[in-house]
Structure formats: structure tokens, C-alpha cells
Amino acid sequence: METYYALNQFPLNSWGQIVYIKESAKMRRRLWDLGFTNGAAIKALYVSPSGNPKAYLIRGSVIALRNEDAGAIIISPKEKGSTSWD
Amino acid sequence: MGLTAKSTGKSLLTLEPDLKALQETALVVALAGNPNTGKSTVFNSLTGLKQHTGNWPGKTVGLSVGKYIFQDHEFSLIDLPGTYSLFSDSVEEEIARDFICFNKPDVTVIVVDGSCLERNLHLVLQILEITTQVVICVNLLDEAKSKGIDINLSKLAKILGIKVVGTVARNGMGLEALKKAILLTATKKREPPVISTFSLLYDSNLEQMISEGIKLFAANDLNDHYKRWLALRFLDSDYTLANKLKQLQLANGNTNEILIYEQFCSKGFSGDIRENIVHTLYKTAETIAKSVTTHKAKPNLRINLDKIITSKALGIPIMLLFLGLVFWLTIIGANYPSQFLSNCFSALEDYLLFIFKALNSPAWLTGLLILGVYRTLAWVVSVMLPPMAIFFPLFTLLEDWGFLPRIAFNLDNFFRKAGAHGKQSLSMCMGFGCNAAGAVACRIIDSPRERLIAILTNNFVPCNGRFPTLLTLITLFVSGSGVRGSLSGSLVMVALVVSAIIITLATSKLLSMTLLRGLPSSFALELPPFRKPQIGRILMRSLLDRTLFLLSRAVVVAAPAGLIIWLLANFGLADKTFLEILTNFLAPLGRIIGLDGVILAGFILGLPANEIVLPIIFMAYTSSGSLIELESLTATKTLLINNNWTLLTALCTIIFSLNHFPCATTLLTIKKETQSWYWSVLAFVIPTVIGLITCSLVAFCYRLFFA
């Protein structure tokens, strides 16, 4: 059975896959441009001292998002397949 | 992160390069790419010092243009803003897209980060949809290698059907090959000689719509590649492109493509197909990247370092340590060269006086030029140059290394709560060096609302011009001298800086609840890998672009200020100089806010540069007619106490120094950056009102309890 997470609550250092980005996300287009698209492999990397924002590894680069924005991205855990980056 | 020379330096001053004229005389090469790919290093390495910075016409986005000659051909290199995409969702993207699409450069070079090929290919594919006159420069190959990534460049070239060159721009590797590939592509002598066989296919539904759309262009004299792109943009209801076409085509009396856009709309073609497009672009990028890279996993040092820098326990302390070190080095390090410069200038002054005397110059002329203009100028230069020449390179060092985005990451939460943007922490830090530079640095914030907040509140942090004043007053009236004194003085200074930051945040919050209400806009911050800073380049750039530029601006305002101040101090009505009349006039207000007329006059006449506030005050107290520096701290203290200074006066002067109108250079810069009188006036009024209120409250309470 698959468990879904909001990206900001996804456990650190585990790999997942983007399932869906909510339409209400005010920065949906920006997220797409940065490579947050359905099916993309993603890993939560680290957290700022106050817990918000958090930084994620996506398509080879590290992008920090605020929790309220990351909350609109739905993730399901999935082992990382082969990629051209790490 | 874009806090580069381009966005913070000379760009303020200049001309907008005539892009059209360039195109006629040289082969035009546009340089595109994602941020943080070393694009500006490529630009600098290709052009050397033959470059020119300014702004894009009508925009506050930096533009660099450079030249180089290769095999008897002259090339003009245009550095497009670094973007992740060309969908024109931001000004930068619109500029880059418009240039590629309408200025039709002979070649577009796309600088790509070899260690992050997949994300970068997304932009490559977008540009290839517009033009195939493209050369790909896979940069940072050394970084890719250290991450265990190996890229098959010739395979990539084959897939895309364009020239691909691998480079390590920071050490010059591959640049000759890049120049050659540019030449071959520009002169269309490249091999294979035909246009790319690569074509990007969307799902059948969208392809169907595209081919129907293309039919509407049947009567137009455009190549098929471009027609396909236009159709795709119209399908994506890209109205900014339609507007641009309208503008251009009305000018040519040709409205074909606009009519076509309207047909697209009326046929109900246009819709939200963006997700579909991006999805396909990224899927394709993923496939290509996978097929050309081999990747051996290696232990990744950067993430470990990041873990420490962003950790709960150490994150903030490490950051404070670094920033504290920068300020400390600036203040301590600036003393000696400042003293040296000031000695040189005063020796030169004696010499000039001697010459003027030998030439029988009348006293008023000598006074005006030497004691007025020259002395003020010399003062500003010797006080201002050394700290700037230390602060900016250090700051650029942190930037080049990649530390700055981490600061924004660590501090974003505070700024988020104030309705502002995390990157404001960086423009604020820049403000400690110079508020004018800080206001320009706000360009790194892409949303207009947050950017304005950052510009309007930048002045609350004390710049290098105010630090010496604050230090002097703290030493004289609060902490005393000696080891204990300097320790407690440092603590007071830290408290002041912290309070300045609190006021910045509070005012940001206030603005975001009132004048600049609005939803917080998106925050997406890339944290690029740590990179070895390029020391030589840093010294060059920060010296040329920031230090000398700011100095030249300060000199421009300081010279006339010197003239006016001297006139005020030496001429008058009846037996009073204008300066005395002014200070008497200001005395009642000065008293209410815990100052006196002279101090207030000092702040007002010191509008051109905060450095001259104290000298003006000394000049007025001693009625000496020209700016003076006192021999020792004791002499200073005696002078101030003889003029009725108390702890309250010092306290209020400190507060008012932290919270009053920005200097003239900063105001001019704000006018330029906001392109609005309204915001410039507010930038003047807000801190002044806060300063007046705080000072009168402090004075009132102090007098209530102590007097």
C-alpha cells in the first residue's frame, strides 16, 4: 500500500517521486520550471535552523522551498532508479 | 544567486548599449543559461576587460555586453539574464526570450552545468524550439567529474544536431574550442552542415493541435521551425509574446501574426497546456541526460558541509561568525589605509595652499576650492575608500564560495514572518557595506512587492559611512577606552546592529501589512554547490564594479556639498554665518529630539555622505569655517562636553544616525531602482519619522527620570 506525503513532511534522506502538484499552488509554474514535475525523483536533504524552509534534491540541483509551498507537492516514497545525477 | 557585479555595481551608472547598432558591425552571440552555471565566468573569460555593463532598456535588469576577436571576426557577446526557463513568467525570462526571438543573434551559446545536465537541458530544449543557431557549452566539467559524472559530449552533439563544447571556464579549459564552435555556427560552416534532425515531440493530442495551428501561418513567410514555435506559444496563450508581436508589427505596418493569435484564441485552441509542455520537455531532458552520462556514485562532501551550515545548533552561530569577521576586518583593516590616505591628502592640501598663495589667489577662492571642495572630497575619499575596498571583496568572496544562499536559507523564516523574502537578508548584509549597493542588490529578489520592501528598509542597517560615527560616540560616551571599554563597546555595537535588524524586520512587517499588502510570493532558492572562489576575479570585479563606482558617485555629490558647506560657514547676514542661522533655527526641534541645532544641521548638510556628519558638527562647534578632524578622542570629548553633550545627546545622535533619511547616493539609487518618485520619497520619510519619534521618546523619558 502506498503512503502519500506532503513534500514538507517527507522524511529526510529518503527518496520519493512526485505524484501531484496541487492546482492551488501559487508557484506551480515556477516549480515546473525548476523540474518539479509529476514522476520526478526527489529527496528531502536538509532543514534550516528554524524548520522552514527545507531544501530538496531534484534533477541534480538543491532547491529550497518554504513549507507552505512544499506542502502543495504530493510525494510517494520510491527507491531512486537510475538518474544522470545524484 | 545573481548578487554579482552586474546586479550591484556599475550598472547603475550607465548607458544602455545600442543593441541594434552592435548587430550591424559584429557577429552577435547571446549567452544564455541557468543561474549558477558559471555563465558570467564564461562571459568574462571570453571578453576579458572589453566589456560594458548597463541595464536592459527600460528595465532594472543588468546587461553586460562584451567584445572579442577570433580569427579576424569580431564578436559581440550579450550576457542574457540567467533563467531556468523561457516561458516569460518573469522579467528576466521575458528579456532572454525576446532577445533570442526578436534580435535574432547569430549564435546563442547555452552555458550548461555539467553536474546537473538534466535540469539544464530543459532550457536548452526550449531555446532549440526557437532557433537551431545554438552552441552548447557544457561547463563545470571538473565539478561533474568530482561527482563521478562523465558526459559523452559528442553523443549529445549528435542527438541535438548542434555543436557541443566541454569547458572548465574558471581555468580557461575548452574556451578556444568554444570560440571555434561559435564561429563555425555563426558563419554556418558547421559540420554536419544541416539543421538538427532532432525534434521534440509532444503527445499526439498536442501535436494535432500544433499542426492545425501551423496551418494558420500558411500565408506567412516564416521558416517551419519558427512557425511551430509560434504555434506552440499561441496554444499556451502566451499573451506577453502576442503583445510584443503587436508592438513590433504595428511599427512595421504588418499585423499578420497578431491576427493569427486572435484566430488561435477564437478557435478555442488556447488553453492550459503548460503542464503538458513542461512535462514533455523534462521527460525528453531526462532521457537525453541519461543516454549521454555515466554516473558512478561518489561520497558527496558538499551535503555534509551543508548539514553543518544549516544545522539547528551551529547554523546561525556560524553565519554570525562569518559576518562578524567581515565587519571586524573591515573596521580594523580600514583604519591604517584611511590614516595614510588622510595624511597624503593633507600634505597635498598644504602644497595646494602654497601654490594658490604663490598665484595670489584671493582668500575667498582659496577657501572655497581648497578648504571647501577639496577638503570635503579628500575626507570622503579617505574615510570611504578603505572600508569599501575591504568590505566588498570579502563579501564577494562569500558570494563566490556559495555562502550567501545559505544565509538566505537560514534566515528566511524571520523574513517570511515579516512578509518579506529570505534574500532580503543578503541585500541587508550588503547594506552594511553601503546602502546604495544594498538597494541595487535587492534586484536578486524577483517579486516586486518583496523587492520594494527590501529597498525601503535597507537604510536601517548602518553602512560603512555611519560605523565610524557610531564607534566614536560609543567609545566616548558609553563604553570608555581600554580593554574593558573596547569589550563593552563591541557589545554595545552588536546590540545596535541587532536592533537595526529588528527595526528592519518590524518595518518590513509594517509595510507588508499596509502599503505593500499582498500575498507572499513564491520562494524557491537554489543552493549551488560550494565552489572555490576566484580570488583574482573577485578583487578585479569588486574593486572596479562596486568600490570605484560608489566612490565616484560619492565624489560627485561630495564636491558640491563641500562648496555649499563652506559658503554656509563663511558667509552670512549681519554678524552671523548662514550656518549659525541654520543651527539656531533648528535648535528648538533639535532639543525636542535630544540633539541640538548643530547636530541636526550636521545630519542635514551631511545628506551627500554620512561620513561628513561628524566633521560638520565639529566645524560648527569650533566656528572654524571648514571641516576639521580632531587630534584625539580626548579633544573630541572635551569639545563635545563643552558644547553641552550628555549621555542623552550621544544616545540620540546614535539613534538618529541609525534611523534617518538615506544619503543622497542611496536616494538617487532608490529612484533609479524603483523608477518612482513615490517610493523614493517614502524611502526618505519612513526612516526619518521613525528616527524623530524614537529620539523624542528617548529624550522625554530620559529627562523625566534623570533631569
Side-chain angles (χ1 to χ4, degrees):
Chain A
M1 199 195 102
E2 266 187 299
T3 325
Y4 297 105
Y5 292 86
L7 180 57
N8 61 317
Q9 287 162 357
F10 195 56
L12 284 190
N13 295 315
S14 45
W15 284 96
Q17 185 182 36
I18 297 180
V19 179
Y20 181 65
I21 300 178
K22 288 185 196 165
E23 271 166 48
S24 58
K26 59 181 183 291
M27 56 184 308
R28 216 167 165 222
R29 293 191 159 197
R30 179 99 319 225
L31 289 172
W32 289 338
D33 284 344
L34 290 165
F36 291 84
T37 58
N38 296 352
I42 191 166
K43 176 164 128 177
L45 273 190
Y46 33 81
V47 180
S48 69
S50 60
N52 185 8
K54 294 180 180 166
Y56 307 94
L57 178 62
I58 181 136
R59 297 191 190 273
S61 69
V62 181
I63 308 280
L65 298 177
R66 287 177 176 171
N67 290 343
E68 50 273 42
D69 296 323
I73 303 175
I74 311 300
I75 303 293
S76 73
K78 189 185 178 190
E79 273 313 301
K80 189 186 105 169
S82 77
T83 51
S84 58
W85 45 271
D86 74 351
Chain B
M1 158 132 262
L3 197 75
T4 56
K6 201 167 56 173
S7 63
T8 51
K10 279 195 298 188
S11 41
L12 287 167
L13 113 138
T14 32
L15 335 164
E16 290 164 353
D18 186 350
L19 298 170
K20 282 249 159 55
L22 272 179
Q23 222 143 356
E24 280 162 20
T25 56
L27 290 164
V28 173
V29 180
L31 204 58
N34 284 181
N36 306 309
T37 53
K39 195 160 70 74
S40 31
T41 316
V42 172
F43 180 82
N44 289 327
S45 315
L46 286 176
T47 59
L49 287 176
K50 284 195 209 88
Q51 47 176 274
H52 184 91
T53 48
N55 282 334
W56 287 89
K59 305 267 166 40
T60 49
V61 176
L63 162 65
S64 309
V65 180
K67 274 191 193 310
Y68 72 90
I69 293 184
F70 183 71
Q71 295 190 353
D72 300 329
H73 289 270
E74 194 183 332
F75 293 87
S76 279
L77 197 58
I78 319 277
D79 196 9
L80 300 178
T83 59
Y84 295 108
S85 146
L86 283 189
F87 289 135
S88 74
D89 291 328
S90 72
V91 191
E92 285 80 6
E93 289 175 15
E94 201 173 321
I95 288 173
R97 191 226 26 221
D98 286 354
F99 190 82
I100 296 174
C101 157
F102 300 115
N103 289 61
K104 299 206 167 35
D106 295 287
V107 181
T108 301
V109 175
I110 312 174
V111 183
V112 165
D113 176 353
S115 67
C116 178
L117 194 61
E118 187 175 305
R119 216 268 314 280
N120 284 254
L121 278 178
H122 172 243
L123 179 71
V124 170
L125 294 175
Q126 283 190 35
I127 293 177
L128 281 176
E129 287 190 313
I130 308 179
T131 170
T132 50
Q133 283 293 98
V134 170
V135 171
I136 294 189
C137 163
V138 183
N139 193 27
L140 303 170
L141 280 181
D142 49 343
E143 250 172 55
K145 202 176 154 199
S146 74
K147 282 170 104 184
I149 295 171
D150 185 51
I151 301 169
N152 187 337
L153 297 173
S154 54
K155 191 169 176 192
L156 183 60
K158 213 170 198 171
I159 293 175
L160 297 175
I162 49 176
K163 290 258 172 207
V164 174
V165 183
T167 59
V168 182
R170 60 166 62 227
N171 65 22
M173 194 205 100
L175 289 176
E176 281 304 299
L178 178 62
K179 286 184 194 168
K180 199 166 166 199
I182 294 172
L183 176 69
L184 290 178
T185 306
T187 52
K188 305 203 162 83
K189 283 179 196 146
R190 59 183 179 174
E191 291 166 21
V194 276
I195 303 180
S196 157
T197 49
F198 172 78
S199 66
L200 188 120
L201 285 180
Y202 296 94
D203 65 24
S204 52
N205 236 341
L206 184 51
E207 282 299 332
Q208 176 70 28
M209 279 158 81
I210 295 173
S211 51
E212 271 176 52
I214 289 179
K215 285 184 199 146
L216 298 174
F217 290 98
N220 282 54
D221 184 23
L222 297 166
N223 73 46
D224 290 345
H225 192 82
Y226 191 64
K227 275 184 197 170
R228 179 183 159 87
W229 178 71
L230 271 185
L232 195 59
R233 296 319 309 140
F234 286 180
L235 285 170
D236 191 21
S237 21
D238 188 340
Y239 66 93
T240 62
L241 182 69
N243 282 340
K244 192 80 190 187
L245 283 168
K246 204 170 199 164
Q247 229 174 29
L248 285 172
Q249 299 190 334
L250 286 180
N252 304 337
N254 165 5
T255 53
N256 257 337
E257 283 153 35
I258 286 306
L259 291 176
I260 293 171
Y261 177 71
E262 281 159 16
Q263 270 173 285
F264 266 84
C265 297
S266 66
K267 290 206 169 179
F269 270 163
S270 305
D272 202 356
I273 55 163
R274 176 68 61 81
E275 186 167 12
N276 190 343
I277 295 175
V278 182
H279 195 80
T280 310
L281 285 170
Y282 261 116
K283 269 276 164 244
T284 316
E286 215 175 295
T287 315
I288 296 175
K290 259 186 209 164
S291 78
V292 301
T293 46
T294 47
H295 173 221
K296 298 187 290 279
K298 279 194 174 181
N300 203 333
L301 278 176
R302 110 181 166 181
I303 286 172
N304 294 336
L305 184 52
D306 264 331
K307 281 241 157 77
I308 300 167
I309 287 187
T310 61
S311 69
K312 213 171 192 144
L314 295 174
I316 307 260
I318 290 179
M319 219 178 56
L320 291 178
L321 192 76
F322 269 100
L323 291 178
L325 199 68
V326 168
F327 298 140
W328 185 77
L329 283 173
T330 305
I331 294 168
I332 300 297
N335 271 338
Y336 304 97
S338 267
Q339 198 53 49
F340 173 76
L341 277 176
S342 142
N343 289 344
C344 291
F345 280 124
S346 88
L348 186 63
E349 183 181 307
D350 293 339
Y351 187 67
L352 285 173
L353 281 174
F354 177 77
I355 295 180
F356 268 66
K357 206 168 187 182
L359 292 173
N360 281 327
S361 144
W364 65 267
L365 187 66
T366 312
L368 193 71
L369 290 181
I370 306 295
L371 301 178
V373 176
Y374 174 83
R375 197 176 272 192
T376 312
L377 255 177
W379 186 287
V380 169
V381 173
S382 57
V383 178
M384 204 167 171
L385 181 61
M388 297 236 176
I390 298 173
F391 181 84
F392 288 127
L394 286 176
F395 203 72
T396 316
L397 197 79
L398 290 183
E399 177 191 354
D400 236 38
W401 180 41
F403 192 67
L404 297 191
R406 273 80 186 172
I407 297 184
F409 180 67
N410 281 348
L411 293 184
D412 177 63
N413 205 25
F414 297 106
F415 288 89
R416 183 183 61 85
K417 286 183 181 154
H421 196 288
K423 286 186 190 169
Q424 189 180 332
S425 57
L426 305 183
S427 57
M428 187 183 80
C429 288
M430 193 73 155
F432 282 108
C434 167
N435 296 123
V440 187
C442 297
R443 284 180 180 192
I444 56 174
I445 300 169
D446 21 274
S447 69
R449 192 185 74 91
E450 278 89 344
R451 201 177 137 224
L452 266 174
I453 293 180
I455 292 177
L456 292 179
T457 55
N458 192 274
N459 186 54
F460 289 114
V461 293
C463 63
N464 273 326
R466 288 183 272 168
F467 258 109
T469 310
L470 298 173
L471 277 177
T472 309
L473 294 179
I474 289 173
T475 319
L476 290 181
F477 287 91
V478 186
S479 63
S481 50
V483 179
R484 261 186 72 185
S486 75
L487 211 69
S488 61
S490 313
L491 283 179
V492 175
M493 199 68 211
V494 170
L496 282 184
V497 168
V498 170
S499 72
I501 295 173
I502 291 173
I503 293 178
T504 303
L505 288 170
T507 314
S508 300
K509 178 83 189 166
L510 198 70
L511 282 170
S512 75
M513 289 191 321
T514 54
L515 293 172
L516 287 163
R517 244 192 320 263
L519 287 173
S521 63
S522 63
F523 174 87
L525 174 75
E526 185 175 358
L527 305 179
F530 285 105
R531 290 177 178 144
K532 206 170 90 200
Q534 296 162 276
I535 309 283
R537 197 189 126 228
I538 289 172
L539 284 176
M540 202 64 193
R541 289 284 112 211
S542 45
L543 216 63
L544 283 179
D545 284 345
R546 291 174 180 163
T547 313
L548 290 185
F549 161 71
L550 286 166
L551 194 69
S552 67
R553 271 219 159 173
V555 163
V556 170
V557 281
L563 190 121
I564 292 169
I565 292 166
W566 189 84
L567 288 176
L568 286 176
N570 290 279
F571 290 91
L573 290 171
D575 57 343
K576 281 202 166 110
T577 64
F578 287 121
L579 184 61
E580 282 163 334
I581 296 172
L582 179 68
T583 55
N584 288 342
F585 173 75
L586 291 172
L589 177 61
R591 212 190 118 61
I592 294 173
I593 59 172
L595 310 175
D596 62 24
V598 169
I599 306 172
L600 205 50
F603 278 113
I604 293 171
L605 293 175
L607 177 74
N610 281 299
E611 284 85 350
I612 56 174
V613 172
L614 272 191
I616 295 174
I617 295 174
F618 297 156
M619 170 184 88
Y621 282 149
T622 53
S623 317
S624 60
S626 57
L627 295 188
I628 56 163
E629 187 181 15
L630 294 169
E631 288 303 315
S632 65
L633 279 175
T634 336
T636 312
K637 188 162 188 178
T638 315
L639 176 71
L640 293 180
I641 287 183
N642 287 342
N643 284 280
N644 304 320
W645 274 54
T646 59
L647 181 62
L648 174 68
T649 325
L651 215 57
C652 287
T653 310
I654 289 172
I655 295 173
F656 200 69
S657 172
L658 283 170
N659 303 289
H660 73 291
F661 40 83
C663 71
T665 312
T666 306
L667 284 170
L668 285 175
T669 307
I670 291 174
K671 169 73 182 42
K672 246 191 143 153
E673 289 300 302
T674 59
Q675 301 182 348
S676 138
W677 280 109
Y678 175 69
W679 295 116
S680 317
V681 170
L682 272 179
F684 183 96
V685 172
I686 295 169
T688 313
V689 168
I690 291 180
L692 289 175
I693 292 175
T694 320
C695 284
S696 22
L697 280 178
V698 168
F700 179 78
C701 295
Y702 185 92
R703 284 170 186 144
L704 201 65
F705 294 113
F706 296 101

